[in-house]
Amino acid sequence: VLLAGLLLALIVASVSWLLFSLRLRPGKEILLGIKRNEFHVVYQPLIEAATGRVYGLEALLRWTHPVTGPIPPDAFITYAESQNMIVPLTRHLFRLVAQDARLLCCHLPSGATMGLNIAPGHLSASGFRQDVNEWIASMPPAHFNYVFEITERTMVAGQKAAAVFDWLHEQQITIAIDDFGTGHSALIYLEKFSFDYLKIDRGFVQSIGMETVTSPVLDAVLTLARKLNLKTVAEGVETEEQAAWLIKRGVTHMQGYLFSRPLPPEQLIQYLQKQQAE
Ligand code: C2E
Ligand code: CA
Ligand code: CA
Ligand code: CA
């Protein structure tokens, strides 16, 4: 009993110490993770609907924590944002992508897109333009077309966001509006800002073939995108049926498990080589 009591006290003590130290060092886990090289990037191919060929990639960050194991990006991105850590984390993403790009670029045609998710907090940070310039300088020259994926949340910033978007366009960086259809009053932003791509949220794509009200909405969104001269990327395409429906409605690009999961560079290269052989 004494031993069990001691053991229990020890467990309670170490758990509370852990909680205490986490509270004492908010966000430090992220910096430590960067230092210890716990982050890596996986890449998901985007497929051009007209040709079925790989058009480009989306870079997605991964964190394997030494204690808890893999942490879902939705969770650690939200955490990083809340702890003011999104800027160092995105700088790290830039570094990792630049490293991988040297390996990847010779397996992709010149002009392939490289899409990065940019959090609103970084876009409005003072060092953003310098970070972007340094990143571009560190990438293989004149190979990729860059796409910054930005969610609708960012547009709330209004005038300031518009200036950053203009600057990005001057740097030849195109802009994709991400998770389209999940935010508020989305349509108004399409007219207000100049985007290049509209990424249709997976939720929409999943409703294809089901008797829900979403398909007619998706239909209308695609028509509107065409009128506004926007390229459209359907996210989360998992079935042939969804792909066929989307192609018929004029979607220009697709991304999803039907084609490939997000892959680490070595596996992605294998996938690309297989595609080329076909
Ligand atoms: P997202 O930008 O909408 O990324 C697409 C998500 O859909 C990815 O989840 C991808 O793995 C997943 N996905 C792709 N195809 C399919 C499919 O066919 N079926 C299903 N069920 N899922 C599919 P992931 O990698 O877990 O990322 C989640 C979110 O975390 C991303 O959503 C993005 O908002 C955020 N995120 C990831 N990496 C970064 C990053 O480097 N920076 C920032 N700011 N956010 C990131
Ligand atoms: Ca995205
Ligand atoms: Ca998305
Ligand atoms: Ca998302």
Side-chain angles (χ1 to χ4, degrees), residues 34-164:
I34 293 173
K35 226 170 92 185
R36 291 179 183 155
N37 218 5
E38 291 163 11
F39 291 93
H40 72 278
V41 183
V42 288
Y43 299 85
Q44 188 173 37
L46 268 72
I47 307 297
E48 188 175 50
T51 61
R53 289 194 134 114
V54 175
Y55 174 82
L57 306 172
E58 177 178 2
L60 294 154
L61 205 50
R62 294 289 179 265
W63 186 12
T64 313
H65 191 277
V67 178
T68 56
I71 303 173
D74 280 321
F76 72 74
I77 295 292
T78 312
Y79 175 69
E81 285 184 302
S82 74
Q83 302 298 322
N84 269 322
M85 286 292 150
I86 200 70
V87 173
L89 189 59
T90 313
R91 280 192 192 133
H92 189 53
L93 170 77
F94 283 161
R95 274 195 298 274
L96 294 172
V97 171
Q99 277 169 25
D100 293 340
R102 259 164 268 164
L103 199 71
L104 292 174
C105 72
C106 35
H107 299 276
L108 286 155
S110 176
T113 58
M114 176 65 86
L116 267 66
N117 294 284
I118 303 294
H122 194 199
L123 209 70
S124 54
S126 58
F128 178 69
R129 293 176 191 202
Q130 197 189 332
D131 290 346
V132 172
N133 284 331
E134 283 175 10
W135 176 60
I136 291 174
S138 70
M139 287 288 285
H143 193 88
F144 291 103
N145 281 321
Y146 305 123
V147 183
F148 279 5
E149 303 195 358
I150 286 152
T151 55
E152 291 169 48
R153 274 182 307 150
T154 317
M155 266 62 76
V156 183
Q159 215 47 49
K160 210 171 158 194
V164 182

Side-chain angles (χ1 to χ4, degrees), residues 170-193:
E170 284 162 22
Q171 320 304 310
Q172 320 297 328
I173 296 170
T174 51
I175 301 163
I177 174 160
D178 208 351
D179 298 346
F180 186 80
T182 57
H184 306 282
S185 54
L187 293 175
I188 199 85
Y189 297 124
L190 293 184
E191 281 234 280
K192 202 164 156 206
F193 299 104

